[in-house]
Amino acid sequence: LARRHRERVDMGLTIRVNAFDDWLFGLDLRAWNERFTATTFIESGLGELGNLVSCIAGFPARSKDERSFIFGTRDSVHSRGYCSLLFRAIDSAGHAVVDVVVEDGGPPGGLAADMRIAKAEFSIPVEAAEIDRFVLALREVQRTETGEAGW
């Protein structure tokens, strides 16, 4: 158990909200496992957090449960950040992972002419209780329009 707990500390996902104006927010997204860390900044409406909550609340509900959510766009002309989250149950005991794809196009205004998009793809093991706590924290961040949610 101690070894498992130590491993869990080295993996997670956080979303931090920064307000720009009454409807546009900046989401700093960070995901990591024992081998990789990826970050991106995504301009979004705060409603996106509510959409994520609706998508993942109660996950996993059954074996083979899969739910996906995307923040941002891969179109570097209109956005500098992108994140795809695929929540997957991997067995009938309720063990699950989140497959993460994070891309970052660089400074505000999109990709600089001579820069390549930074990209990372990896999986993070996750437990149902962590998802439940994440959902509660996302609801609070959406309510207060500030703060951070993660596991």
Side-chain angles (χ1 to χ4, degrees):
L1 181 64
R3 181 170 183 237
R4 174 89 170 134
H5 177 72
R6 185 173 59 246
E7 290 172 2
R8 298 295 304 151
V9 172
D10 295 334
M11 301 177 221
L13 174 94
T14 59
I15 299 172
R16 180 184 307 258
V17 172
N18 300 303
F20 286 144
D21 57 35
D22 289 341
W23 67 272
L24 186 62
F25 291 81
L27 303 178
D28 286 311
L29 190 135
R30 179 176 183 259
W32 67 98
N33 67 13
E34 70 279 357
R35 296 176 52 210
F36 296 100
T37 297
T39 62
T40 192
F41 179 82
I42 299 166
E43 294 175 356
S44 176
L46 196 59
E48 287 297 300
L49 295 181
N51 294 340
L52 176 59
V53 165
S54 295
C55 177
I56 65 172
F59 176 83
R62 62 192 179 290
S63 65
K64 310 237 181 199
D65 193 355
E66 283 193 5
R67 305 183 194 187
S68 63
F69 194 83
I70 294 175
F71 285 106
T73 177
R74 286 186 153 141
D75 179 1
S76 63
V77 172
H78 295 97
S79 173
R80 61 182 251 215
Y82 170 86
C83 179
S84 169
L85 303 171
L86 175 61
F87 295 78
R88 304 185 284 123
I90 57 174
D91 61 26
S92 59
H95 296 105
V97 297
V98 180
D99 297 326
V100 178
V101 177
V102 176
E103 296 180 6
D104 191 84
L111 187 63
D114 58 348
M115 288 182 59
R116 297 181 70 185
I117 291 174
K119 179 178 180 180
E121 295 184 45
F122 52 91
S123 297
I124 305 168
V126 65
E127 297 173 2
E130 290 171 316
I131 297 294
D132 292 343
R133 287 188 296 270
F134 184 50
V135 163
L136 291 174
L138 284 169
R139 286 180 176 144
E140 181 64 14
V141 167
Q142 186 178 22
R143 186 186 69 75
T144 62
E145 299 184 354
T146 188
E148 180 178 290
W151 77 84

